[in-house]
Amino acid sequence: MYSLRGDALISTAHKAADTTIKPLAPGLVREIVGDELGVEKGNPERINDWIALTEDQILNVLKLFNDYDWELQSWQPKPEPVYVAGGKLYSINNKVLVKDDHEAAEPYKWPIAHDVRPASQSLGSNGRCADCHDDTSPFIFGKVEVDTPINPGEKQTKSMTEFGELDPGYYQSFAFTFLFRPWLKGLVILASAFGGLVLLLFALKGMDRLVTAAGRKK
């Protein structure tokens, strides 16, 4: 299949023909699917500040958009309606609702944190390695709640290791080693003390030999 884009004929199977997901204006959404979503109700029921959506509603809404008479040019392909929420992209395939991972559904990650702590309150500033390197540390093993209108009553989370594209098994194993750090420190202190005593003993013996040798020469 081919379509005309940017005055160039390109194959829809080619990467350059991959469609771009664009949001629809809220007014148009209200016009087309307002009755299905019940947006005209005075006080709709909310859960966690969301008007809950079911997958049946999403399917019906996408069907309404699919049947909508879009004002298109003769060369323009009919747009395919999709819905993005909760880290998933919903679409219709053979009249069945399907949901897939898609870059458009990925969470937005703030490159700069808000309410940044001063250095004196930063993680690890008190000498506690476990602020980060602990198997319960929220810095690596925390769970971020997914804010979504789909089943908002059910707690949905995403792990920090998934956000950071980290191997949770590796970091769990690494954090586990910190349980033995106090023992290791104690062992190092004892070994150092023992080594110091041995050196002191040999130093005293050496001094004794020197004193004895000096006395014989006299």
Side-chain angles (χ1 to χ4, degrees):
M1 295 179 63
Y2 293 85
S3 62
L4 185 66
R5 295 189 184 182
D7 298 329
L9 191 66
I10 56 177
S11 168
T12 55
H14 194 273
K15 289 184 178 180
D18 288 346
T19 54
T20 301
I21 297 175
K22 296 182 179 180
L24 292 174
L28 181 60
V29 174
R30 184 183 293 269
E31 174 188 339
I32 299 174
V33 299
D35 293 337
E36 174 65 31
L37 296 177
V39 294
E40 302 300 335
K41 292 182 180 179
N43 293 304
E45 182 182 358
R46 293 179 179 270
I47 303 175
N48 293 335
D49 204 34
W50 284 105
I51 300 175
L53 285 178
T54 65
E55 292 192 355
D56 288 338
Q57 282 180 304
I58 296 173
L59 177 61
N60 292 335
V61 166
L62 293 180
K63 285 180 179 178
L64 289 172
F65 278 117
N66 199 41
D67 296 337
Y68 184 72
D69 186 17
W70 301 95
E71 296 181 0
L72 302 171
Q73 299 293 331
S74 58
W75 53 268
Q76 287 181 308
K78 185 178 180 180
E80 177 188 355
V82 296
Y83 178 66
V84 174
K88 297 292 182 182
L89 183 140
Y90 295 81
S91 60
I92 298 177
N93 187 7
N94 294 326
K95 299 182 180 181
V96 177
L97 184 70
V98 294
K99 55 182 178 180
D100 300 292
D101 295 325
H102 193 278
E103 60 180 7
E106 292 180 357
Y108 184 82
K109 304 168 188 176
W110 292 99
I112 300 176
H114 297 273
D115 301 328
V116 178
R117 296 179 181 181
S120 60
Q121 297 179 16
S122 61
L123 296 176
S125 62
N126 56 1
R128 277 181 46 84
C129 300
D131 284 353
C132 298
H133 302 293
D134 187 88
D135 59 359
T136 59
S137 170
F139 181 74
I140 295 180
F141 303 107
K143 301 288 185 180
V144 180
E145 189 169 348
V146 178
D147 197 18
T148 173
I150 302 172
N151 299 323
E154 300 177 5
K155 190 173 183 179
Q156 305 173 53
T157 59
K158 194 177 181 72
S159 66
M160 289 295 291
T161 53
E162 192 173 351
F163 276 120
E165 298 180 355
L166 305 175
D167 180 2
Y170 168 79
Y171 282 92
Q172 284 281 2
S173 301
F174 184 67
F176 182 71
T177 64
F178 279 79
L179 295 175
F180 305 99
R181 292 298 174 95
W183 299 0
L184 180 61
K185 291 177 182 178
L187 182 61
V188 169
I189 292 173
L190 289 175
S192 299
F194 180 76
L197 290 174
V198 171
L199 290 175
L200 179 61
L201 177 62
F202 276 93
L204 291 175
K205 284 187 175 183
M207 291 178 63
D208 180 60
R209 290 286 183 91
L210 289 174
V211 171
T212 302
R216 287 176 180 175
K217 288 181 180 180
K218 292 180 179 180

